[in-house]
């Protein structure tokens, strides 16, 4: 009974100490503190919680091919090569990192285990007999591992060590969830949920950067106004299909935005005027595919107006010119090029007499 009471008292004190500064940690996470600062705080907190253990912090990629120590000290530096990389990684550690379904593990008598043979000298030098491990994925391709090495004469009860590992994993999970939420909020503020394309203000900011770069490097750019000819009520599902086809057709570095209910706007860098025609022809060809005939918006067609920089020096004038060019088609599918106030079917006509 006395031993049981003594254990429960130790457990109480351990848990009380473990969660004593939890409000402070949650406040740091909620404020969006830097990842490096948070990880350093977690490391210091965990090492203080486990004074008789030595904590080793490692990051590896999801393929378990690249391994790095997060913190180097006088104890773990013997595991590193002169260029700062882990000389060898025990098979036990590789297996553990590659098994996310088992985020915790405890190995006993590690100096004599074949799976840990690469670090036997390290264990014997510091008298380590046991290791408890926890792994957390950041969801971006990296796995964060914490290893708590213990000596046989100062082993912590398994339940208490488990609590410490769970707490560390929860802290990291909270940080990664916060980062993911920040990213989603940022994406949500920049993209229209009905199409997945850029919102107008995000497109304007991005394309103005393109224009600044074009001025600096004497480059060309083109702005497309793509107008739906359908007059029926917009079906969001059909609109999303149309937007998806546009995204799949254009290049990765092209900008594509949902400006209003029946207009998409696209901005691209070009080298020659005819490059814009090639893009317009490609878009119209894709939309004419028979497999898309069931989509009413696509079936009704799209008129495309194109304007050029430096012929127009601002986004506002480019958009106005592209819109006028699209309207000059009089609700017929196809494209028109605006050049110095006139509308053309081909750039080859720009300089004809």
């Amino acid at each position: 009974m006395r031993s049981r009471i003594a254990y429960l008292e130790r457990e109480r004190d351990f848990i009380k100490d473990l969660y004593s500064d939890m409000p402070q940690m949650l406040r740091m996470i909620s404020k969006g503190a830097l990842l490096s600062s948070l990880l350093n705080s977690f490391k210091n907190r965990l090492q203080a919680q486990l004074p008789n253990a030595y904590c080793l912090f490692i990051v590896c990629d999801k393929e378990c091919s690249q391994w790095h120590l997060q913190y180097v000290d006088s104890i773990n530096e013997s595991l590193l090569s002169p260029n700062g990389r882990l000389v060898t990684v025990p098979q036990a550690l590789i297996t553990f990192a590659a098994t996310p379904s088992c985020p915790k593990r405890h190995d006993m008598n590690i100096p004599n285990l074949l799976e840990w043979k690469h670090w036997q000298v390290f264990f014997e030098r510091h008298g380590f007999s046991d290791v408890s491990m926890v792994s957390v994925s950041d969801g971006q391709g990296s796995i964060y591992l914490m290893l708590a090495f213990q000596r046989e004469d100062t082993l912590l009860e398994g339940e208490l060590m488990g609590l410490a590992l769970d707490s560390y994993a929860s802290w990291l999970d909270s940080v990664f969830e916060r980062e993911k939420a920040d990213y989603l909020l940022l994406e949500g503020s920049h993209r229209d949920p009905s199409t997945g394309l850029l919102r107008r203000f995000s497109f304007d900011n991005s394309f103005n950067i393109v224009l600044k770069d074009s001025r600096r490097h004497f480059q060309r750019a083109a702005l497309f106004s793509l107008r739906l000819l359908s007059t029926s009520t917009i079906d969001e599902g059909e609109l999303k299909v149309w937007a998806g086809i546009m995204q799949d057709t254009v290049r990765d570095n092209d900008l594509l935005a949902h400006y209003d209910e029946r207009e998409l706007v696209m901005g691209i860098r070009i080298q020659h005027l005819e490059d814009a025609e090639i893009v317009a022809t490609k878009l119209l060809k894709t939309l004419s595919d028979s497999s898309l005939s069931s989509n009413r918006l696509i079936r009704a067609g799209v008129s495309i107006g194109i304007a050029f920089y430096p012929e127009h020096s601002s986004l506002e004038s480019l958009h106005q010119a592209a819109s006028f060019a699209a309207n000059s088609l009089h609700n017929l599918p196809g494209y028109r090029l605006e050049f110095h106030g006139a509308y053309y079917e081909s750039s080859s006509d720009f300089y004809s007499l």
Side-chain angles (χ1 to χ4, degrees):
M1 178 65 73
R2 289 177 180 174
S3 63
R4 178 60 178 166
I5 291 174
Y7 171 75
L8 291 174
E9 289 177 342
R10 286 198 306 276
E11 185 178 44
R12 178 202 60 195
D13 294 340
F14 186 89
I15 294 173
K16 182 179 178 181
D17 188 45
L18 182 63
Y19 294 110
S20 61
D21 56 358
M22 185 60 69
Q24 180 184 352
M25 288 193 173
L26 292 175
R27 189 158 51 249
M28 290 174 62
I29 295 171
S30 66
K31 286 183 176 181
L34 290 174
L35 178 61
S36 57
S37 299
L38 290 168
L39 293 176
N40 194 56
S41 296
F42 298 162
K43 164 189 170 289
N44 294 336
R45 186 69 194 88
L46 194 65
Q47 190 65 75
Q49 185 69 29
L50 303 171
N52 295 320
Y54 171 71
C55 297
L56 186 67
F57 300 84
I58 301 176
V59 181
C60 74
D61 62 333
K62 61 182 178 181
E63 286 79 24
C64 300
S65 59
Q66 301 292 326
W67 298 77
H68 306 278
L69 288 185
Q70 286 180 257
Y71 311 97
V72 178
D73 55 39
S74 59
I75 294 178
N76 64 41
E77 63 183 359
S78 62
L79 299 173
L80 300 175
S81 64
N83 64 3
R85 294 185 178 274
L86 284 171
V87 178
T88 54
V89 180
Q91 185 58 48
L93 191 52
I94 296 173
T95 301
F96 175 63
T99 315
S101 58
C102 299
K104 288 194 300 183
R105 173 170 166 170
H106 180 82
D107 285 358
M108 300 179 292
N109 194 27
I110 49 178
N112 299 316
L113 294 181
L114 187 62
E115 281 190 310
W116 287 101
K117 66 178 181 178
H118 295 305
W119 286 4
Q120 282 182 358
V121 174
F122 173 70
F123 299 152
E124 291 169 0
R125 179 180 302 164
H126 300 287
F128 298 139
S129 63
D130 290 56
V131 63
S132 299
M133 302 180 285
V134 64
S135 71
V136 181
S137 170
D138 68 352
Q140 302 295 320
S142 295
I143 301 170
Y144 287 73
L145 304 152
M146 195 284 289
L147 288 69
F149 294 104
Q150 299 185 84
R151 299 174 180 87
E152 192 171 4
D153 57 342
T154 56
L155 279 176
L156 185 67
E157 287 87 349
E159 293 86 351
L160 299 185
M161 177 59 76
L163 282 174
L165 298 185
D166 287 339
S167 295
Y168 181 73
S170 295
W171 299 338
L172 285 191
D173 276 332
S174 298
V175 172
F176 297 144
E177 284 297 322
R178 167 60 196 251
E179 290 199 326
K180 184 167 68 174
D182 285 345
Y183 175 77
L184 292 174
L185 288 171
L186 180 64
E187 282 292 292
S189 68
H190 285 279
R191 295 192 177 274
D192 170 39
S194 64
T195 61
L197 304 179
L198 291 173
R199 295 181 189 271
R200 182 167 188 155
F201 77 91
S202 297
F203 175 89
D204 291 356
N205 290 338
S206 298
F207 193 70
N208 277 320
I209 293 173
V210 171
L211 292 180
K212 288 179 181 178
D213 288 343
S214 298
R215 293 187 190 102
R216 186 178 298 117
H217 301 292
F218 304 100
Q219 296 173 336
R220 279 196 167 275
L223 189 83
F224 290 59
S225 174
L226 303 102
R227 295 189 172 275
L228 286 167
L229 299 179
S230 172
T231 57
S232 61
T233 302
I234 296 292
D235 179 272
E236 191 168 298
E238 292 184 335
L239 180 63
K240 201 154 194 171
V241 170
W242 186 53
I245 291 169
M246 295 293 100
Q247 284 179 306
D248 292 341
T249 304
V250 302
R251 299 168 300 185
D252 291 339
N253 60 344
D254 294 336
L255 298 170
L256 193 58
H258 187 200
Y259 251 40
D260 62 31
E261 188 179 39
R262 298 179 190 274
E263 182 188 18
L264 300 188
V265 173
M266 182 171 68
I268 64 173
R269 290 181 173 89
I270 57 174
Q271 289 186 324
H272 308 287
L273 294 172
E274 57 266 27
D275 293 344
E277 293 178 80
I278 293 171
V279 173
T281 300
K282 182 181 178 182
L283 291 173
L284 292 171
K285 181 179 179 181
T286 301
L287 293 173
S288 65
D289 192 292
S290 59
S291 64
L292 303 173
S293 59
S294 61
N295 187 306
R296 293 175 304 153
L297 297 182
I298 295 175
R299 187 171 65 240
V302 59
S303 61
I304 301 175
I306 305 170
F308 298 96
Y309 170 86
E311 282 70 26
H312 297 279
S313 60
S314 69
L315 173 57
E316 182 179 2
S317 60
L318 277 164
H319 182 238
Q320 185 180 64
S323 295
F324 287 161
N327 291 334
S328 72
L329 285 161
H330 303 294
N331 295 321
L332 293 174
Y335 68 85
R336 285 290 184 275
L337 309 169
E338 193 278 347
F339 195 66
H340 292 292
Y343 306 111
Y344 300 88
E345 295 183 7
S346 171
S347 61
S348 61
D349 299 330
F350 288 176
Y351 306 106
S352 61
L353 295 176

